[in-house]
Amino acid sequence: MNIYESLNTNQQEAVLCTEGPVLILAGAGSGKTRVLAHRIAYLIEEKNVNPWNILAITFTNKAAGEMRERVDKIVTYGSESIWVSTFHSACVRILRRYIDRIGFDNKFTIYDTDDQKTVMKDVCKRLEVDTKTYKEASFLAAISKAKDQMITPEEYFVNAGGDMAQKKIAEVYKEYQTQLRKNNALDFDDLLCMTVQLFQTNPEVLESYQNRFRYIMVDEYQDTNMVQFQFIHLLAQKYKNLCVVGDDDQSIYKFRGANIQNILGFEQVFPDTKVIKLEQNYRSTGNILDAANTVIENNTARKKKTLWTEQGEGEKIRVIQCETANDEAEMIVQEIKERVDKEEFCYKDCALLYRTNAQSRILEEQFIKANIPYKVIGGINFYARKEIKALLSYLKTIENGKDDLAVRRIINVPKRGIGSTTIDKIQDYALAHDISFFEALKIADKIPTIGRSVVKLEGFVNLIRVFQSKIGYISLTELLEEIIKETGYRIELEAEGTEEALGRLENIDELISKMADYEENTEDASLSGFLEEVALIADVDNLDDTTDYVVLMTLHSAKGLEFPKVFLCGLEDGLFPSYLSVTSDDPSDLEEERRLCYVGITRAMESLTISAAKQRMYRGETQYRKPSRFLKEVPKRVVEGITREPKIKEMPRNNIYYSAREAFRAKPFESKTLSGNKLEYEIGDRVFHIKFGTGIVLDIKAGGRDYEVTVDFEKAGTKKMFASFAKLKKLD
């Protein structure tokens, strides 16, 4: 039997169809990498194609290495001549030879992220840009997006119209490119842009590579952006032997510039395209695939395909709705521990997938309490994240100014213009006089050579003193929120506007929720008690260094991976799908979220557990959640549903903050809205809220100062609010 007979019928067709444009729609777990490797082997060994004439493009160095390894095992000779590379590495090889044609020296430097930040800092200084208003990171993000779409600085300026902020970006973009050219340097986005520019302006160079690469294959084509599309399109124009492999149902990187239309519109660009569908799945059971197929069918922008398997139906999907997010985490951890103890599977068989990095906090805490080894993939453990360590350092400094490490960590976070030289002088003075770093800060005016930095240091000390003075008068949660506000931490991240900044904001909100949860469930809650609890939770160094651990990761990080046991967490409207996608005017945003759900479901090989919480804390406030609309799309025939009974938790009555809140609520309060002691709406009425939209009134309770109204909003879920502030309008 030859190597091609081991492939199924559709896989064989994909291998044997070598001439002209080919679109291979490879569903999850359908063996696309195997097909590509066999296709290259077939071209060389059966079609006698010179390996020199083959180009295989992947997205990561790891994927390129795996492809190379597979081809080497199949092909007896000549495989070393094949170009198997990422987009960027292919472009570097081309530019090293020909970039002098577009005005650069062939010995150009490639700038990494840190280099880019340094250049941008100089550009902002040169243009006298106020970096408090315009963040350097947001400039770099905007420039990267522009390059993905092949928009020049001049075009960016024209497109800006009367928008002054966009014109400022155009100005910075132009100067940034000027500095790069001056330094004979390219950033990563330039590698693709410059190669396309080279091809467009030098037809002889383009033709030489068209003749070289007569057979082109591209993996993960659904993740390509505009400039990557242009690069491939130009190379394939002459011979049109272009084979692209991808799955439009797994296009989840729109935020990185990926354009799903590249795969959906492939046949329009190449009219003679042969479309081959790989629908047989070798990873998952029938029930898991049934769920995935049914969910993704709700998308309109897709190529129709239906995954199937010969493995049988398997276990039903477990759908569990818990009362709170803590209950959800406890349930998952308890189940894993019990089943591992029974030797039904190992820790490493399990993966917990979630929508946002911030969700890992509650899960991590439960794993630590249960002494279960885990690893956060594609991220950092919650309490080790930069923004969390910074805010905890503020709390430590407020509690104990003698913690030099904490004080030094935050003295210039967010940036106050206090440099390392100044910090070293203070440290030296503190050591010489046997006092703490913070004590030295208090008398900074007595330290020689500090100079003008004294004012900045005094400002920091006064800020800490203000925070310290509020302990005992405001709750810990309010204290944390004041730190975030008064330091400008949130404003700085919001101004940055990048995906990374958004993730850091979500982590900060999760820390607020942690603080609120601690206060509500701890007798005699105190700042020292909170820091002690966090310290114990965050101390994960004692875990055994073993490969047998539970994997925690976001859904975006999970793409391309598979696990025997998958737990898909937080399936609630507003969380997954995200609130922004639910409220977006662009229906494609919600469809991308659904594709992300599809990716999550298809990571499971043997069993899948989907969980949701009825209530979840956000920024320290309890929000009531509807089950995710994606959950409702999973067919009942494959589901085993379980509802977890809530745990009854009461706030300790002797908690000082509980007493304070109750006292506040008991004070007389006159509401303008309630002047007539009668609301214009009743239970069951449809009402409108200026932020949350339309909803149904579920409950009305008369309190000491106001009516507490519970409303089930169509998009935002269930909310509790005071009538006087909600200003709900009854709808006819």
Side-chain angles (χ1 to χ4, degrees), residues 83-343:
W83 270 32
V84 183
S85 67
T86 63
F87 277 100
H88 290 104
S89 57
C91 289
V92 169
R93 290 178 72 172
I94 294 167
L95 292 173
R96 286 291 182 208
R97 188 171 180 184
Y98 290 112
I99 199 172
D100 58 321
R101 304 285 184 97
I102 53 174
F104 280 79
D105 189 284
N106 295 76
K107 295 180 180 178
F108 61 86
T109 302
I110 302 171
Y111 277 0
D112 61 17
T113 305
D114 287 337
D115 296 328
Q116 288 178 265
K117 288 177 181 176
T118 302
V119 173
M120 183 54 70
K121 196 172 289 183
D122 292 341
V123 167
C124 289
K125 193 174 180 179
R126 188 184 299 271
L127 298 178
E128 297 181 344
V129 174
D130 181 4
T131 52
K132 291 181 179 178
T133 306
Y134 301 97
K135 296 299 175 184
E136 295 158 2
S138 61
F139 281 133
L140 287 170
I143 291 169
S144 179
K145 189 176 180 181
K147 289 180 178 181
D148 284 350
Q149 298 171 353
M150 299 184 66
I151 298 171
T152 65
E154 292 74 22
E155 289 168 336
Y156 203 105
F157 186 84
V158 172
N159 295 341
D163 190 326
M164 297 309 295
Q166 292 297 303
K167 282 188 173 180
K168 180 60 70 175
I169 294 173
E171 183 187 2
V172 170
Y173 182 9
K174 186 177 180 179
E175 182 61 25
Y176 174 79
Q177 290 303 109
T178 300
Q179 292 305 310
L180 287 184
R181 185 173 281 271
K182 182 182 173 183
N183 296 340
N184 194 45
L186 306 179
D187 62 23
F188 282 104
D189 296 310
D190 282 330
L191 296 175
L192 277 149
C193 288
M194 293 298 176
T195 307
V196 170
Q197 185 184 331
L198 172 69
F199 285 167
Q200 290 173 336
T201 55
N202 292 267
E204 71 284 0
V205 175
L206 173 60
E207 190 174 15
S208 71
Y209 281 102
Q210 286 175 337
N211 290 329
R212 165 87 191 260
F213 301 125
R214 302 190 179 200
Y215 293 88
I216 302 169
M217 278 159 275
V218 185
D219 195 11
E220 303 288 0
Y221 191 69
Q222 78 279 349
D223 294 334
T224 54
N225 59 29
M226 184 180 290
V227 69
Q228 289 164 339
F229 164 78
Q230 285 292 343
F231 172 72
I232 293 298
H233 185 232
L234 286 165
L235 276 179
Q237 261 183 352
K238 187 171 183 179
Y239 292 97
K240 294 186 173 53
N241 294 327
L242 172 62
C243 173
V244 300
V245 184
D247 183 5
D248 52 297
D249 290 333
Q250 296 187 72
S251 179
I252 58 172
Y253 295 122
K254 183 181 178 181
F255 66 94
R256 291 183 190 169
N259 186 355
I260 194 173
Q261 291 305 319
N262 288 350
I263 191 167
L264 294 180
F266 188 82
E267 295 149 274
Q268 282 69 55
V269 179
F270 297 95
D272 299 324
T273 296
K274 174 72 173 177
V275 180
I276 301 168
K277 296 180 183 180
L278 304 182
E279 296 172 294
Q280 184 174 356
N281 177 284
Y282 295 92
R283 174 187 300 159
S284 308
T285 61
N287 282 331
I288 292 169
L289 295 181
D290 195 354
N293 288 329
T294 310
V295 169
I296 202 63
E297 280 171 4
N298 289 278
N299 274 6
T300 55
R302 66 184 293 264
K303 301 277 190 181
K304 185 172 173 58
K305 67 189 85 65
T306 304
L307 298 181
W308 60 276
T309 183
E310 294 179 340
Q311 296 187 62
E313 290 185 354
E315 298 178 21
K316 283 195 172 185
I317 296 168
R318 298 174 73 232
V319 176
I320 302 176
Q321 188 176 25
C322 303
E323 190 68 18
T324 68
N326 274 316
D327 294 339
E328 178 190 32
E330 283 180 19
M331 176 276 298
I332 293 169
V333 170
Q334 185 182 348
E335 177 170 328
I336 291 174
K337 188 169 180 61
E338 286 177 357
R339 297 185 68 180
V340 169
D341 288 345
K342 292 177 183 176
E343 299 185 352

